[in-house]
Amino acid sequence: MIKALIFDFDGTIIDTETPWYYALRDRYKSYGVELTLEQYSQCVGTSLHQFNPYTYLMTEHGLPIDEEEFRAVVHRDHTELMGKEKIRPGVLEYLEAAKAAGLKIGLASSSKRSWIERHLDALRIGHYFECMATADDVSKVKPDPELYRLALQGLGVEPGEAVAVEDSPNGARAAAAAGMHCIIVPNELTRLLPFDEGNLNKHAESLADVDFDELVSKGCGSSAIGA
């Protein structure tokens, strides 16, 4: 029996990731450089340690760019693109169903708490989450399992009693490393990325395609996933 749901934030609750890629890709293009999905995927759902899109043009291409100004323009473009984004299909219904069923609800994100809370407040869903583990709380973010382990501890449940909801390969790897079942609901960007095969992971277009009652009773069994 499932006792808790733990959500990723970026790309899972609302698609912030595709707009980031578009904003950065278009800015790179203005300098005559292609930002490939393969390159950008290195920082999706994790930190910027492996690939930093804000410094790459300077460090690898030697372009005389003011990093602060570059970042400001990208953030401006991202904000404009985010004006078109809404909470992803099935998320609100899942939060309401989980609360009504007495499940514990947590959040585990590689982003900063201030970023997450700003968006949760705008979406008016912050009150659903009993526990939030963010980049401010751990030494390693996803794909390391530390965020999920902290969220599990905060909710007082075992890994096998919780289901993670993720959109990215790095997030799915973190959930698997924590010993959790995981439903992967990729967005426009992450559905193009390669995911690891694993018995603990199930894929769906969105949470709207996953039967809540069957998920809670059977975990990530195949019958819980819509066609």
Side-chain angles (χ1 to χ4, degrees):
M1 176 68 73
I2 299 301
K3 297 181 179 179
L5 297 179
I6 302 179
F7 287 78
D8 169 56
F9 177 70
D10 288 287
T12 299
I13 290 178
I14 187 170
D15 187 5
T16 59
E17 291 170 343
T18 304
W20 277 129
Y21 176 60
Y22 287 162
L24 284 158
R25 182 197 63 184
D26 291 348
R27 195 51 46 188
Y28 272 52
K29 190 181 299 183
S30 71
Y31 290 99
V33 178
E34 180 187 6
L35 175 62
T36 67
L37 183 57
E38 182 180 4
Q39 285 175 307
Y40 185 69
S41 68
Q42 297 176 75
C43 64
V44 175
T46 184
S47 68
L48 303 183
H49 292 157
Q50 191 168 351
F51 175 73
N52 188 329
Y54 295 106
T55 61
Y56 179 79
L57 292 176
M58 293 84 97
T59 59
E60 301 302 319
H61 289 267
L63 295 176
I65 299 172
D66 182 284
E67 182 184 343
E68 185 175 340
E69 181 180 347
F70 179 83
R71 186 182 292 266
V73 172
V74 170
H75 280 234
R76 181 202 66 194
D77 293 347
H78 179 266
T79 299
E80 183 177 342
L81 291 169
M82 281 300 297
K84 304 174 184 177
E85 295 294 331
K86 299 178 180 179
I87 192 168
R88 292 196 62 203
V91 171
L92 184 58
E93 291 79 4
Y94 249 67
L95 290 172
E96 292 177 342
K99 184 177 181 180
L103 270 65
K104 298 182 177 181
I105 307 173
L107 186 147
S109 171
S110 294
S111 293
K112 296 286 187 179
R113 183 176 293 267
S114 58
W115 166 264
I116 298 164
E117 290 181 339
R118 188 177 87 192
H119 285 284
L120 292 181
D121 288 344
L123 294 171
R124 300 181 180 179
I125 59 172
H127 61 283
Y128 285 104
F129 299 96
E130 301 175 39
C131 173
M132 290 199 298
T134 72
D136 302 294
D137 305 313
V138 297
S139 58
K140 294 180 180 179
V141 295
K142 303 169 187 177
D144 189 275
E146 187 175 1
L147 279 165
Y148 274 114
R149 287 172 178 164
L150 185 62
L152 289 165
Q153 181 180 357
L155 294 175
V157 296
E158 297 297 319
E161 297 174 326
V163 171
V165 185
E166 277 285 354
D167 75 294
S168 73
N170 281 318
R173 291 179 190 122
M180 298 173 63
H181 294 281
C182 180
I183 288 186
I184 299 168
V185 284
N187 54 56
E188 180 182 347
L189 176 73
T190 57
R191 68 169 53 102
L192 302 175
L193 304 179
F195 284 83
D196 301 336
E197 295 294 330
N199 294 329
L200 297 181
N201 293 339
K202 296 297 180 183
H203 292 247
E205 286 294 315
S206 73
L207 281 179
D209 299 316
V210 183
D211 186 281
F212 176 82
D213 292 330
E214 288 193 30
L215 173 70
V216 173
S217 63
K218 300 179 182 179
C220 285
S222 58
S223 61
I225 308 300

